[in-house]
Amino acid sequence: MTADEAHALSTLPAEALLARAAAIRDEAFGIVQSWSPKVFIPLTQLCRDLCHYCTFSRPRAGQRAYMTPEEVLAVAREGAAAGCTEALFTLGDKPELRFAAARRELAAMGHATTIDYLEAMCRLVLTETGLIPHVNAGVMTRGEMARLKTVSGSQGLMLETIADRLGAKGGPHYRSPDKVPAARLTATALAGELDIPFTSGILIGIGETRAERIEALLAIRDLHARHGHIQEVIVQNFRAKPRTPMADADEPTLDELLWSIAAARLILPRGISLQAPPNLADAAFPRLMEAGINDWGGISPVTPDHVNPERPWPAVDKLRAATEAAGRRLVARLPAYPAFLAAPWQEDGPRRALLAQADAHGMARADRWSPGQPLPPQPAPAKGNVSPRIERIVARATAGQEIAGEEIEALFAARGADVEHICRSADALRRAVNGDEVTFVVNRNINYTNICAYKCSFCAFSKGRGAESLRGAPYDLDLAEVARRADEAVARGGTEVCMQGGIHPSYTGETYLGLLGAVKAAQPDLHIHAFSPLEVRHGAESLGLPLDAYLARLKAAGLGSLPGTAAEILDDEVRTVICPDKLDTAQWLETIEAAHRVGLRTTATIMFGHVDGPQHWARHLIATRDLQRRTGGFTEFVPLPFVPMEAPMGLKGESRRGPTFREVRLMHAVARLALHPHLTSIQVSWVKLGAAGVKACLNGGANDLGGTLMDESISRAAGAAHGQELPPQEMEALIRSIGRTPRQRTTLYGKVAPAIRAMGRAAAPLTPVVLTPPRKRKERAAEDA
């Protein structure tokens, strides 16, 4: 929109703008209506400015000029306990330049300026509570803004108006030097030069004209065009307050507010979030959505709106009801919007705090749960209308049509009633394909070494030789111990051993053949499900063999199938971050396809919830589907939620805290829909999710519980707390508790003889394992000989 076109809006009524503004909003933000759960921290309510409409800034006899650190921290902790993510620091401009009391208090606390003290309080809140500061501190210098960037996720400064005349005598900004438009525009430009995610906005109804509002919006647009840093614009309506010079001034009508919001949506770039405070619109606040807002701003369950204390925020339940009634989904966000969560927009401290609070879409996590931990009670399923687009995509998928990447991403973006529709539909499809049986296998994990030459940032299990910084000491099992565990597995009713380990620098292709030989010599009929594609490639390369030739040797030596692990995310954009020295996407797919070609079935896995996102999940599912269409070699798809507690990137704050439970449910359900009809078994991990999580996913598209495991060590090393074994009788009880029929299977989904099933239910306790300390392979070979 040109400036002339923008100014032409001033002659149009609100009704002429609303529909187009709402349509533009929908194109940019879909049906998501965001808000920020926050605490309001008025660090000081003194200010050198004398705005004629303000009651926030007012000297109060007998009260401190500044909140104490203890008071700040108490408010922040209360907010953190209530589920807030934002600490909104709002304060007057440079009160020390006007008030002696402010200067005295600052000096007593060891600070020269208000900004010095603000920086210290932001750091205190960030480090002690994890809340991310958003700073509204008025007009600042470049240096001050740069310092605050290190301790805040975002900053803001309302432009309010472009009209200098409002600062003349008798105007609302008279004797308010920090409200000079040029000063505020300069500060906003500095924020852009410093890559600070920024909030700006206009205040309507203080004497400006429509033309002046348009000029202000154009000025904000121009600054964003240069720097790309304006994450949101607020259109705020003036409300007259008692005991102010403007107590009797006329307030803008609702129609004028709607016109101003719609004009802002039409003038501003589409990616800028548009906000209007709901508490300033009274009971008419739902109508603000008609004008194109996509955000309600910060709302606190703990503190009042200290700028407008006479107008409380609407309760979140009321906000949600109004949002849903308009066909939109209320979603909590962070102080920095999704596009502004990483460098250069964030310094390390705020970036890590934001990442810890973020879901896969960069919005605020809807729960504090992480995979591997007990699942807290879940809210009742959301009700309401299902989005037409979600209905169409789900209908196509259940009819057996392959859905495209953008459609899969749309399913992963589902919220509220849309999530329930996806999960119900996936479950109905599961019932049609698999019936009401839930399958599982009695198996034993044998992780023969935790020594690994690779340094994957998600792995808490593998370690370099001699490294004991993570859980457990390094080990490298004797073949006799491998054979003993295979014997015990069979004695306890097991039909499979699953063998995987780290990439030991001394291992060769012969090592893996030796492992197979040890198991087959002990238990010739035991199915061996072993070796990730990374191990297979390592073995083949060490012997100078093509993949097909080496896989054929493994098969001849007794390998029955491969676990499709080491997949993580089949997208090199993610792999270069979490496992840069590991095999890439093409190599993983090539290895799996080679296995299928020589007659070895495999599983397919995805390890999600770290630095990945829905676009990567969609690519992973499509790659899996395409390969399955060609070969039919996958037995099941296994979503593996990332367990962050002891993972290196989790400990360093370089990842999210695993997927949210909404994302876990969607991964199982969307996989059922996106892989249909090519891959028919979806497995859920009891190790990652526990009984409650397993039940939810079995009711949302999954049909398989995987293995009893006997010796689970990889997830436990990462911090999972759900145990190392789920015996078959407990598997069956869990399955029956949701009205489904359990069926013990073999690795390849065959039947298990009744006598073997009985052995599993009468199994003796596991004997202690022996973790053989690492020795050189040559020494081990000599001893074995």
Side-chain angles (χ1 to χ4, degrees):
M1 183 173 284
T2 66
D4 287 343
E5 290 169 334
H7 277 290
L9 300 176
S10 64
T11 63
L12 299 175
E15 292 77 15
L17 309 184
L18 298 185
R20 182 59 185 149
I24 290 173
R25 182 266 320 279
D26 293 347
E27 290 168 12
F29 298 94
I31 62 171
V32 168
Q33 188 77 17
S34 54
W35 69 290
S36 179
K38 73 175 181 183
V39 290
F40 199 132
I41 302 178
L43 191 63
T44 178
Q45 292 189 246
L46 299 181
C47 182
R48 73 164 177 168
D49 297 319
L50 297 170
C51 301
H52 290 191
Y53 46 77
C54 180
T55 58
F56 174 77
S57 173
R58 188 178 294 273
R60 290 165 174 82
Q63 294 187 8
R64 286 181 56 87
Y66 296 90
M67 293 176 68
T68 66
E70 293 76 18
E71 290 170 335
V72 169
L73 203 52
V75 172
R77 283 176 172 154
E78 187 180 3
C84 297
T85 57
E86 174 184 340
L88 171 63
F89 281 89
T90 292
L91 51 152
D93 275 83
K94 309 173 189 63
E96 65 272 25
L97 299 182
R98 178 180 170 195
F99 297 98
R103 294 191 292 272
R104 287 194 299 269
E105 281 189 28
L106 287 171
M109 292 187 294
H111 298 286
T113 68
T114 297
I115 299 301
D116 293 341
Y117 184 48
L118 172 62
E119 180 186 5
M121 292 302 96
C122 287
R123 181 174 290 106
L124 179 69
V125 166
L126 183 65
T127 56
E128 292 293 325
T129 72
L131 293 188
I132 301 106
H134 171 79
V135 175
N136 288 339
V139 175
M140 293 183 285
T141 66
R142 176 189 293 270
E144 289 170 337
M145 297 174 85
R147 285 161 48 200
L148 289 173
K149 183 182 178 183
T150 66
V151 292
S152 65
S154 53
Q155 298 179 32
L157 180 68
M158 291 283 284
L159 175 57
E160 295 196 8
T161 182
I162 200 76
D164 285 307
R165 64 183 181 81
L166 298 183
K169 188 172 182 178
H173 289 158
Y174 178 57
R175 297 176 64 193
S176 300
D178 299 293
K179 292 299 176 77
V180 173
R184 297 175 92 78
L185 289 169
T186 297
T188 304
L190 288 175
E193 294 170 9
L194 293 168
D195 292 325
I196 294 172
F198 211 68
T199 297
S200 187
I202 60 173
L203 179 62
I204 72 165
I206 58 172
E208 82 294 345
T209 64
R210 280 187 173 184
E212 288 166 336
R213 287 178 216 160
I214 290 169
E215 282 298 323
L217 292 167
L218 290 171
I220 293 169
R221 186 180 76 175
D222 290 346
L223 288 170
H224 182 74
R226 292 207 293 273
H227 305 292
H229 67 305
I230 304 294
Q231 60 172 359
E232 65 180 354
V233 167
I234 302 171
V235 177
Q236 182 170 331
N237 51 313
F238 160 72
R239 299 305 301 257
K241 295 178 173 60
R243 301 184 303 279
T244 67
M246 294 181 68
D248 297 323
D250 291 335
E251 297 177 343
T253 64
L254 177 62
D255 188 73
E256 195 65 17
L257 175 59
L258 295 175
W259 178 90
S260 301
I261 295 169
R265 176 58 75 196
L266 294 170
I267 292 168
L268 294 170
R270 297 190 178 194
I272 290 180
S273 189
L274 189 60
Q275 176 191 135
N279 58 321
L280 300 187
D282 299 328
F285 78 87
R287 293 205 60 200
L288 303 178
M289 290 182 284
E290 297 175 24
I293 67 164
N294 65 284
D295 187 81
W296 292 117
I299 293 173
S300 179
V302 173
T303 56
D305 180 352
H306 287 281
V307 174
N308 302 283
E310 75 285 358
R311 299 185 182 278
W313 286 300
V316 174
D317 286 346
K318 185 175 182 181
L319 202 65
R320 178 173 288 106
T323 303
E324 293 282 342
R328 302 183 61 71
R329 299 285 184 264
L330 186 68
V331 180
R333 63 165 172 85
L334 300 170
Y337 283 77
F340 297 90
L341 298 184
W345 302 108
Q346 299 296 335
E347 301 287 346
D348 281 349
R351 180 180 59 82
R352 289 189 176 95
L354 287 161
L355 196 56
Q357 302 275 14
D359 69 11
H361 286 85
M363 305 299 274
R365 293 181 72 90
D367 55 48
R368 299 186 179 186
W369 170 82
S370 288
Q373 297 176 337
L375 185 68
Q378 295 296 295
K383 297 179 180 179
N385 296 326
V386 179
S387 305
R389 188 184 184 204
I390 294 297
E391 281 191 310
R392 289 193 298 271
I393 296 170
V394 168
R396 291 187 62 242
T398 55
Q401 300 177 40
E402 291 188 354
I403 54 177
E406 64 177 16
E407 294 175 304
I408 296 173
E409 287 185 53
L411 295 182
F412 281 127
R415 308 272 179 170
D418 291 344
V419 174
E420 303 308 322
H421 178 70
I422 291 167
C423 292
R424 281 194 306 269
S425 301
D427 198 47
L429 181 58
R430 180 271 311 160
R431 189 176 298 109
V433 172
N434 305 93
D436 277 336
E437 279 189 346
V438 176
T439 48
F440 66 94
V441 61
V442 176
N443 67 346
R444 181 171 200 168
N445 274 5
I446 302 178
N447 302 121
Y448 33 79
T449 184
N450 63 352
I451 297 170
C452 189
Y454 290 82
K455 293 178 169 51
C456 301
S457 61
F458 57 83
C459 182
F461 171 75
S462 299
K463 56 202 73 203
R465 193 181 279 161
E468 299 188 29
S469 59
L470 299 176
R471 293 185 176 187
Y475 66 82
D476 184 11
L477 296 187
D478 283 325
L479 293 182
E481 172 64 10
V482 172
R484 186 195 70 77
R485 294 192 196 184
D487 287 336
E488 189 175 30
V490 171
R492 301 180 86 248
T495 58
E496 169 199 306
V497 287
C498 177
M499 299 199 300
Q500 296 180 96
I503 306 300
H504 195 298
S506 298
Y507 278 21
T508 69
E510 295 294 344
T511 308
Y512 301 115
L513 291 166
L515 287 163
L516 294 172
V519 173
K520 282 298 177 182
Q523 294 292 335
D525 296 329
L526 187 60
H527 184 99
I528 304 177
H529 182 66
F531 312 139
S532 71
L534 180 60
E535 291 171 288
V536 170
R537 291 188 78 92
H538 173 68
E541 290 166 3
S542 71
L543 299 181
L545 292 175
L547 278 174
D548 287 65
Y550 183 60
L551 283 161
R553 285 191 64 183
L554 291 172
K555 184 179 179 185
L559 181 62
S561 57
L562 272 72
T565 50
E568 325 326 342
I569 298 292
L570 294 177
D571 189 289
D572 291 336
E573 186 176 276
V574 175
R575 300 181 78 81
T576 55
V577 176
I578 66 172
C579 51
D581 54 350
K582 209 170 185 177
L583 74 177
D584 62 23
T585 297
Q587 291 170 326
W588 190 92
L589 292 168
E590 177 190 33
T591 308
I592 289 291
E593 188 159 10
H596 294 175
R597 198 161 48 238
V598 302
L600 288 167
R601 302 290 298 277
T602 77
T603 62
T605 66
I606 183 171
M607 194 269 290
F608 66 104
H610 34 83
V611 300
D612 49 342
Q615 71 274 29
H616 308 117
W617 303 344
R619 294 169 196 161
H620 185 111
L621 287 173
I622 289 171
T624 302
R625 185 177 69 194
D626 289 347
L627 181 53
Q628 180 73 346
R629 191 195 311 106
R630 292 198 303 274
T631 69
F634 289 126
T635 54
E636 68 246 13
F637 183 75
V638 189
L640 299 171
F642 170 60
V643 178
M645 285 76 77
E646 297 292 335
M649 64 181 175
L651 291 170
K652 294 176 183 177
E654 296 294 336
S655 71
R656 300 195 302 281
R657 300 201 311 260
T660 66
F661 193 59
R662 177 188 68 87
E663 292 163 355
V664 167
R665 291 180 66 204
L666 283 172
M667 180 59 74
H668 291 79
V670 173
R672 168 66 67 184
L673 297 169
L675 298 176
H676 178 66
H678 307 291
L679 213 168
T680 59
S681 187
I682 307 297
Q683 186 179 119
V684 57
S685 170
W686 62 265
V687 174
K688 316 285 187 183
L689 300 180
V694 161
K695 292 177 184 180
C697 293
L698 286 176
N699 285 323
N703 65 285
D704 186 78
L705 254 182
T708 59
L709 301 182
M710 299 190 198
D711 281 314
E712 200 295 313
S713 54
I714 293 175
S715 294
R716 284 185 295 130
H722 293 306
Q724 68 179 43
E725 181 180 22
L726 191 64
Q729 57 270 30
E730 293 185 27
M731 284 267 196
E732 292 179 341
L734 188 157
I735 293 164
R736 288 194 177 99
S737 74
I738 59 170
R740 303 270 280 281
T741 303
R743 180 175 75 83
Q744 184 177 338
R745 62 171 173 85
T746 65
T747 306
L748 301 180
Y749 288 76
K751 294 182 179 180
V752 177
I756 295 176
R757 293 204 307 271
M759 290 170 65
R761 285 144 189 81
L766 282 166
T767 57
V769 298
V770 177
L771 298 178
T772 317
R775 287 171 286 167
K776 290 183 179 179
R777 278 277 141 186
K778 291 182 180 178
E779 295 175 6
R780 179 77 55 81
E783 289 180 12
D784 291 341

